[in-house]
Amino acid sequence: MDLDKLLAEVDAADMALAESVARRWKAALALSAALEASDAGDEFNPAKDAARIRAAVDTASKAGAPADTIARIWRTLIGDGLTASRVSDVIVAGGDFEDLSAGARGYFGFSARLTPMASPREALDRVSEARGAVACMPWPEQAGQGQWWPMLNENRFSDLRIVSGWPMLPSAPDTTPDIAIVAKLPLESSGADNMFATAHDDHYEAERTLKRVGLEARVVARVRSLALIRIQSFVAETDVRLAEARSSGLDGLRVVGACPRP
């Protein structure tokens, strides 16, 4: 085994990676500046980011690289670019500060400026009012601290959505995320997503009603009559099947989020 040759190969790969990161960083900042100048696009696009990460994982995995490592590297690259340009305030609220902070750093990188808040309502108020603000909250399927999600059903927060979660790693595709990313963004498909909706489900008919209109769904949490429903495919907020479910008795059915799959 020629150790000098192997070391030289590692060094060359390191330099090529550094050059690629620099090129990507420059292009990402130029894109953000162009979007800002034209007032086009949103603060960030979690669906497109997830699709990019999947593509990077697929390419690198075929060459033998560990999928989780690639996912974490790309998530950091994307997150650092966002907090350098389009995302100005990353709020952590509603749970253990250290756990939420670790999740926020995992998603938005280590350069993110974190703002701790004790109250989920205060965090949602900030996200609703301030451009560039996002919130990292306990994942809504968690019991106890995760029960902030009914607030998304209030009129004052009607423009907020769960737009992603973390961690989402290829090695554990069915693992429930630890944190939810909440932002004032429209929902788009990443190509493979779980959707979340709320509805008043007094008679525990939500799953059957949605199945009748062609949507595979499961109630994953409840607060009194209000149910949090996970739908196993992307559903646009204007999808006619949602209207059919409402007319079949699923009162107040509305989409409140999406989570791209790894």
Side-chain angles (χ1 to χ4, degrees), residues 149 153 196-202 206 210 219 221-229 245-246 249-256:
W149 59 267
N153 210 46
F196 290 89
T198 57
H200 293 285
D201 184 33
D202 301 271
L210 289 167
V219 174
R222 289 182 183 274
V223 173
R224 295 180 291 278
S225 70
L226 191 65
L228 178 68
I229 305 161
R246 293 185 198 103
L250 200 51
D251 293 338
L253 177 65
R254 60 184 298 268
V255 172
V256 296

Coordinates of all heavy atoms in Angstrom, one line a residue, residues 149 153 196-202 206 210 219 221-229 245-246 249-256:
W149 N -49.3 22.7 18.6 CA -49.8 22.7 17.2 C -51.2 23.2 17.1 O -51.6 23.8 16.0 CB -49.6 21.3 16.6 CG -50.4 20.2 17.3 CD1 -49.8 19.4 18.3 CD2 -51.7 19.9 17.2 NE1 -50.8 18.5 18.7 CE2 -52.0 18.8 18.1 CE3 -52.8 20.3 16.4 CZ2 -53.2 18.2 18.2 CZ3 -54.0 19.7 16.5 CH2 -54.2 18.6 17.4
N153 N -54.3 26.5 14.2 CA -55.7 26.5 13.8 C -56.3 27.9 14.0 O -57.5 28.1 13.6 CB -56.5 25.4 14.5 CG -57.6 24.9 13.7 OD1 -57.5 24.6 12.5 ND2 -58.8 24.8 14.3
F196 N -49.5 17.5 6.9 CA -50.2 17.5 8.2 C -51.4 18.5 8.1 O -51.3 19.5 7.4 CB -49.2 18.0 9.3 CG -48.2 17.0 9.7 CD1 -47.0 17.0 9.0 CD2 -48.5 16.0 10.7 CE1 -46.1 16.0 9.3 CE2 -47.5 15.1 11.0 CZ -46.3 15.0 10.3
A197 N -52.5 18.0 8.7 CA -53.7 18.8 8.6 C -54.3 18.8 10.0 O -54.0 17.9 10.8 CB -54.6 18.3 7.6
T198 N -55.2 19.7 10.3 CA -56.0 19.7 11.5 C -57.5 19.7 11.1 O -57.9 20.2 10.0 CB -55.8 20.9 12.4 OG1 -56.0 22.1 11.6 CG2 -54.3 20.9 12.9
A199 N -58.3 19.1 11.9 CA -59.8 19.1 11.7 C -60.4 18.8 13.0 O -59.9 18.2 13.9 CB -60.1 18.0 10.7
H200 N -61.7 19.2 13.1 CA -62.5 18.8 14.3 C -63.1 17.4 14.0 O -63.8 17.2 13.0 CB -63.6 19.8 14.5 CG -63.1 21.2 15.0 ND1 -62.6 21.4 16.2 CD2 -62.9 22.3 14.3 CE1 -62.2 22.6 16.4 NE2 -62.3 23.2 15.2
D201 N -62.8 16.5 14.9 CA -63.1 15.1 14.6 C -63.8 14.5 15.8 O -63.3 13.5 16.4 CB -61.8 14.3 14.3 CG -62.0 12.9 13.9 OD1 -63.0 12.6 13.3 OD2 -61.1 12.1 14.2
D202 N -64.9 15.0 16.1 CA -65.7 14.6 17.3 C -66.0 13.1 17.3 O -66.1 12.5 18.4 CB -67.0 15.5 17.5 CG -66.7 16.9 17.6 OD1 -66.5 17.4 18.7 OD2 -66.6 17.6 16.5
A206 N -62.1 10.8 11.1 CA -61.1 11.5 10.2 C -60.4 10.5 9.2 O -60.4 10.7 8.0 CB -60.1 12.3 11.0
L210 N -61.1 10.5 5.1 CA -60.0 10.8 4.2 C -59.7 9.6 3.3 O -59.5 9.8 2.1 CB -58.8 11.2 4.9 CG -58.9 12.6 5.6 CD1 -57.7 12.8 6.6 CD2 -58.9 13.7 4.6
V219 N -54.5 9.8 12.3 CA -54.6 10.8 13.4 C -53.4 10.5 14.3 O -53.3 9.4 14.9 CB -55.9 10.8 14.1 CG1 -55.9 11.7 15.3 CG2 -57.0 11.2 13.2
A221 N -52.3 12.9 16.8 CA -52.4 13.7 18.1 C -53.8 14.3 18.2 O -54.4 14.5 17.2 CB -51.3 14.8 18.2
R222 N -54.3 14.5 19.4 CA -55.6 15.1 19.6 C -55.5 16.1 20.8 O -54.8 15.9 21.8 CB -56.6 14.1 20.0 CG -57.0 13.2 18.8 CD -58.1 12.2 19.3 NE -58.5 11.3 18.2 CZ -59.4 11.6 17.2 NH1 -60.0 12.7 17.3 NH2 -59.6 10.7 16.3
V223 N -56.2 17.2 20.7 CA -56.5 18.1 21.8 C -58.0 18.3 21.8 O -58.5 19.0 20.9 CB -55.7 19.4 21.7 CG1 -56.1 20.4 22.8 CG2 -54.2 19.1 21.9
R224 N -58.7 17.7 22.7 CA -60.1 17.7 22.7 C -60.7 17.3 21.4 O -60.3 16.2 20.9 CB -60.7 19.1 23.2 CG -60.3 19.4 24.6 CD -60.8 20.8 25.0 NE -60.1 21.9 24.4 CZ -58.9 22.3 24.8 NH1 -58.3 21.8 25.8 NH2 -58.4 23.3 24.1
S225 N -61.5 18.0 20.7 CA -62.1 17.6 19.4 C -61.1 17.8 18.2 O -61.4 17.3 17.1 CB -63.4 18.3 19.1 OG -63.1 19.7 18.8
L226 N -60.1 18.5 18.4 CA -59.2 18.9 17.3 C -58.1 17.8 17.1 O -57.4 17.4 18.1 CB -58.5 20.2 17.6 CG -57.7 20.8 16.4 CD1 -58.7 21.2 15.3 CD2 -56.9 22.0 16.9
A227 N -58.0 17.3 15.9 CA -57.1 16.2 15.6 C -56.0 16.7 14.7 O -56.2 17.6 13.8 CB -57.9 15.1 14.8
L228 N -54.8 16.2 14.9 CA -53.7 16.4 14.0 C -53.5 15.2 13.2 O -53.4 14.1 13.7 CB -52.4 16.7 14.8 CG -51.1 16.9 14.0 CD1 -51.2 18.2 13.2 CD2 -49.9 16.9 14.9
I229 N -53.6 15.4 11.9 CA -53.7 14.3 10.9 C -52.4 14.3 10.0 O -52.1 15.3 9.4 CB -54.9 14.4 10.0 CG1 -56.2 14.5 10.9 CG2 -55.0 13.2 9.1 CD1 -57.4 15.1 10.2
A245 N -63.7 16.0 1.6 CA -63.7 15.5 3.0 C -64.5 16.5 3.9 O -65.2 16.0 4.8 CB -62.3 15.3 3.5
R246 N -64.4 17.7 3.7 CA -65.1 18.7 4.5 C -66.6 18.5 4.3 O -67.4 18.6 5.2 CB -64.7 20.1 4.1 CG -63.3 20.5 4.5 CD -63.0 22.0 4.2 NE -61.6 22.2 4.1 CZ -60.8 22.4 3.0 NH1 -61.5 22.4 1.8 NH2 -59.6 22.6 3.0
G249 N -68.2 15.9 6.3 CA -68.4 16.0 7.7 C -67.1 16.3 8.5 O -67.2 16.4 9.7
L250 N -66.0 16.4 7.8 CA -64.7 16.6 8.5 C -64.5 18.2 8.6 O -63.9 18.8 7.8 CB -63.6 16.0 7.8 CG -62.3 15.7 8.6 CD1 -62.6 15.0 9.9 CD2 -61.3 15.0 7.7
D251 N -65.1 18.7 9.7 CA -65.2 20.1 9.9 C -63.9 20.8 10.1 O -63.0 20.3 10.8 CB -66.1 20.5 11.1 CG -67.5 20.1 10.9 OD1 -68.0 19.9 9.7 OD2 -68.3 19.9 11.9
G252 N -63.7 21.9 9.4 CA -62.5 22.7 9.6 C -61.2 22.1 9.1 O -60.1 22.6 9.5
L253 N -61.3 21.2 8.2 CA -60.1 20.5 7.7 C -59.2 21.5 7.0 O -59.7 22.2 6.1 CB -60.5 19.4 6.8 CG -59.3 18.6 6.1 CD1 -58.5 17.9 7.1 CD2 -59.9 17.7 5.0
R254 N -58.0 21.6 7.4 CA -57.0 22.5 6.7 C -55.6 22.0 6.9 O -55.2 21.4 7.9 CB -57.1 24.0 7.3 CG -56.8 24.1 8.8 CD -57.1 25.5 9.2 NE -56.2 26.5 8.6 CZ -55.0 26.8 9.0 NH1 -54.5 26.3 10.2 NH2 -54.3 27.7 8.4
V255 N -54.9 22.2 5.8 CA -53.4 21.8 5.8 C -52.6 22.8 6.7 O -52.8 24.0 6.6 CB -52.9 21.8 4.4 CG1 -51.4 21.6 4.4 CG2 -53.6 20.7 3.6
V256 N -51.8 22.2 7.6 CA -51.0 23.1 8.4 C -49.5 22.8 8.3 O -48.6 23.4 8.9 CB -51.3 22.9 9.9 CG1 -52.8 23.4 10.2 CG2 -51.1 21.5 10.4

